[in-house]
Amino acid sequence: MLSQVNHLFTVVMDFDGGTYVAQFEGPSPEHAARMMLEKFGWQDTGDIEAVLLDDCSNVWCVTSMQNSTCSPMIPDTEGKTFALLNIISTQRGDQL
């Protein structure tokens, strides 16, 4: 977990057949993941646990599922929609 200082995170999300990228400021990768899911209309993001990726620095992964009325993206998840998020702690260009 990062400190309570706001950091810039780049979030890459695979969801509903597309790949989406956005940036958010916040105290943690979990916060950035929650903001991305809410941006796409997810009602209850619940508990989110970002997992630090092996052999990477400042890169986390999150998966989330939500009930859905649309066709499921993964056959075994009947009635649910799946999202895969990769969160990268990002340095601002003016701070390089």
Side-chain angles (χ1 to χ4, degrees), residues 11-41:
V11 181
V12 180
M13 180 169 80
D14 290 326
F15 164 69
D16 198 26
T19 301
Y20 307 92
V21 179
Q23 291 184 312
F24 301 96
E25 287 191 30
S28 68
E30 290 85 358
H31 175 80
R34 189 171 287 107
M35 297 297 294
M36 184 69 152
L37 290 167
E38 289 173 359
K39 179 178 179 171
F40 282 83

Side-chain angles (χ1 to χ4, degrees), residues 34-51:
R34 189 171 287 107
M35 297 297 294
M36 184 69 152
L37 290 167
E38 289 173 359
K39 179 178 179 171
F40 282 83
W42 290 47
Q43 300 300 313
D44 179 16
T45 56
D47 291 334
I48 291 177
E49 182 179 344
V51 176

Side-chain angles (χ1 to χ4, degrees), residues 66-88:
Q66 147 173 305
N67 289 334
S68 174
T69 57
C70 63
S71 302
M73 293 297 297
I74 301 172
D76 294 338
T77 62
E78 185 176 332
K80 297 196 179 277
T81 299
F82 177 81
L84 172 67
L85 299 90
N86 289 290
I87 303 110
I88 303 102

Side-chain angles (χ1 to χ4, degrees), residues 29 50-54 56-61 86-89:
V51 176
L52 186 63
L53 297 181
D54 290 342
C56 291
S57 180
N58 298 320
V59 181
W60 297 264
C61 184
N86 289 290
I87 303 110
I88 303 102
S89 181

